[in-house]
Amino acid sequence: MSGAPVDFYFEFSSPYGYIAANLVDDLAGRIGREIRWRPFLLGPVFKATGSAPLVEIPMKGDYSRRDFGRSARFHGVQFQMPAKFPIGTVGAMRAFYWTDARDPALAKRLAKALYKAYFLEGKDISEPRTVIDTAASLGIDAAALEAGIADPAIKERAKSEVDGAMSRGVFGSPFFIVDGEPFWGCDRIPMLEAWVKRGGW
Amino acid sequence: MSGAPVDFYFEFSSPYGYIAANLVDDLAGRIGREIRWRPFLLGPVFKATGSAPLVEIPMKGDYSRRDFGRSARFHGVQFQMPAKFPIGTVGAMRAFYWTDARDPALAKRLAKALYKAYFLEGKDISEPRTVIDTAASLGIDAAALEAGIADPAIKERAKSEVDGAMSRGVFGSPFFIVDGEPFWGCDRIPMLEAWVKRGGW
């Protein structure tokens, strides 16, 4: 891998973020760049942009509900629309950053497991217990993680990630930044790939 | 060409609609379907969805301004960001439907010429005079068109197109509907193509 890593911003309650999470390992191989996983929260973004969760927006909501599964199948990704949607994912995000500070590769596995729990197995990852159980299934120390999620330092780390994402102009999920260039949405992966390979245009 | 036509909804003030207008002839050839050009207005949609022109939305606005030209170049389409943007396009839309009632192929040529005038030549197509001059350059009778644009029947036809688009769930530009399936955005052309070729999934 050469060149700066690609920042991959995603929210754990985002179907398109989930689809992207299933595509970025292959993308990394094709472009020869590391992908840095960076969960954030859409709630503060919606406040800043005057927006709302997709499914709550007139017209766009109906389209999105139809599009989530269709897009997943288009990309060969298994998907089940969760009964409870959207959900709060601050606990999932804090668990990610707590793990990331100790073992980035494991944090990435945790992110994939949390996404799978929510968008395939119908588990409610807004529940701290579900997050901790999911982490424990990967060998993460449940008691240490439980204490970690409540640690003010991790809360601050997670908050600074959200603030940092917004200060970089991240307003949706997934959102990629590579060499300072922003790309929003699963649909933009082909453009991102071309951008890296050609060095921009 | 076999199968039902693809409805191609676009707004004359939409950069992504302009890009799509440069891509749909090739798309028609690849999927063996006719493309029906259907200009509409985003203003009433924004009212219904509580949205606003992209460039006026915090964060999304900056991204979009950067993305218009980048996307055009990615698709091999020449593009110059107009000084006055966005603009009202009800006159352009009425001119299209007036022409469409007489000669659909000529109406499509008029749409392309209006888009080129606005997004390449820096002409303000919110001015009726610019619309009429552009039409005249294609051999359309300027005096007849000028009277036509003011005809209550054409105003009603244009309004019913906008209402009809919204009743079908069209909330952005470009927006395609094929065999009842909706696709929003230039980015979705590859998915639309796959959908038609596979007969859905």
Side-chain angles (χ1 to χ4, degrees):
Chain A
M1 305 265 171
S2 67
V6 176
D7 282 316
F8 164 42
Y9 289 97
F10 60 96
E11 134 86 76
F12 277 113
S13 185
S14 159
Y16 298 120
Y18 163 74
I19 296 170
N22 280 275
L23 304 177
V24 294
D25 286 346
D26 283 353
L27 172 66
R30 293 198 304 275
I31 63 176
R33 298 281 186 112
E34 190 195 328
I35 309 273
R36 192 154 55 186
W37 291 49
R38 307 187 77 161
F40 76 112
L41 301 176
L42 283 172
V45 173
F46 291 153
K47 253 184 213 169
T49 59
S51 193
L54 268 178
V55 293
E56 295 173 12
I57 300 174
M59 304 176 82
K60 248 183 199 178
D62 289 341
Y63 177 85
S64 302
R65 285 193 179 275
R66 178 179 199 141
D67 190 60
F68 294 153
R70 177 181 73 170
S71 292
R73 289 189 294 277
F74 179 64
H75 290 291
V77 174
Q78 289 187 289
F79 173 85
Q80 287 292 332
M81 188 66 198
K84 190 174 160 190
F85 177 84
I87 54 170
T89 59
V90 66
M93 182 184 63
R94 286 177 187 161
F96 175 92
Y97 285 114
W98 183 85
T99 307
D100 190 52
R102 283 149 190 82
D103 183 342
L106 184 56
K108 193 172 114 174
R109 286 177 54 215
L110 175 61
K112 289 181 180 181
L114 288 168
Y115 257 150
K116 191 177 167 196
Y118 185 49
F119 285 113
L120 199 53
E121 297 162 357
K123 293 180 186 164
D124 178 2
I125 62 167
S126 69
E127 290 292 335
R129 180 45 50 198
T130 310
V131 172
I132 291 162
D133 288 351
T134 304
S137 74
L138 300 176
I140 295 169
D141 183 319
L145 175 61
E146 187 163 10
I149 292 178
D151 183 340
I154 282 299
K155 290 184 179 178
E156 188 50 42
R157 167 77 201 282
K159 187 182 177 303
S160 77
E161 279 287 334
V162 176
D163 293 344
M166 289 179 66
S167 73
R168 297 184 77 192
V170 175
F171 58 81
S173 166
F175 200 104
F176 304 90
I177 300 179
V178 54
D179 301 337
E181 192 73 15
F183 296 90
W184 170 41
C186 278
D187 294 333
R188 285 304 172 83
I189 290 177
M191 193 189 288
L192 185 163
E193 185 173 346
W195 186 271
V196 172
K197 287 178 174 172
R198 297 184 210 164
W201 54 76
Chain B
M1 304 266 172
S2 67
V6 177
D7 282 316
F8 164 42
Y9 289 98
F10 61 96
E11 135 85 78
F12 278 113
S13 185
S14 159
Y16 298 120
Y18 164 74
I19 295 170
N22 281 275
L23 304 176
V24 295
D25 286 346
D26 283 354
L27 172 67
R30 294 197 305 273
I31 63 176
R33 298 279 187 112
E34 189 195 330
I35 310 273
R36 192 154 53 187
W37 291 50
R38 307 187 77 163
F40 75 113
L41 300 176
L42 282 172
V45 172
F46 291 154
K47 257 186 210 165
T49 59
S51 193
L54 268 177
V55 292
E56 295 172 12
I57 300 173
M59 303 176 84
K60 248 184 199 177
D62 289 340
Y63 178 85
S64 301
R65 285 191 178 275
R66 179 179 198 141
D67 190 60
F68 294 153
R70 176 180 74 170
S71 292
R73 289 188 294 276
F74 179 64
H75 290 291
V77 174
Q78 288 188 290
F79 173 86
Q80 287 293 332
M81 188 65 196
K84 190 174 162 192
F85 177 85
I87 55 169
T89 60
V90 66
M93 182 184 63
R94 285 176 187 161
F96 175 91
Y97 285 113
W98 183 86
T99 307
D100 191 52
R102 281 148 190 83
D103 183 341
L106 184 57
K108 194 171 114 174
R109 287 177 55 214
L110 174 60
K112 290 181 180 181
L114 288 168
Y115 257 149
K116 192 177 166 197
Y118 185 49
F119 285 113
L120 199 53
E121 297 163 357
K123 294 180 183 164
D124 178 3
I125 61 166
S126 69
E127 290 291 335
R129 180 45 50 198
T130 311
V131 172
I132 291 162
D133 288 349
T134 304
S137 75
L138 301 175
I140 295 169
D141 182 321
L145 175 61
E146 187 163 9
I149 291 177
D151 183 341
I154 281 299
K155 290 185 179 179
E156 188 51 41
R157 167 76 199 283
K159 187 182 176 304
S160 77
E161 279 288 333
V162 176
D163 294 345
M166 290 180 65
S167 73
R168 298 183 76 191
V170 175
F171 58 82
S173 167
F175 200 104
F176 304 91
I177 301 179
V178 54
D179 301 338
E181 193 72 15
F183 297 90
W184 170 42
C186 277
D187 295 332
R188 285 305 172 82
I189 289 177
M191 192 188 288
L192 185 165
E193 184 173 345
W195 186 271
V196 172
K197 288 179 173 171
R198 296 185 211 163
W201 54 77

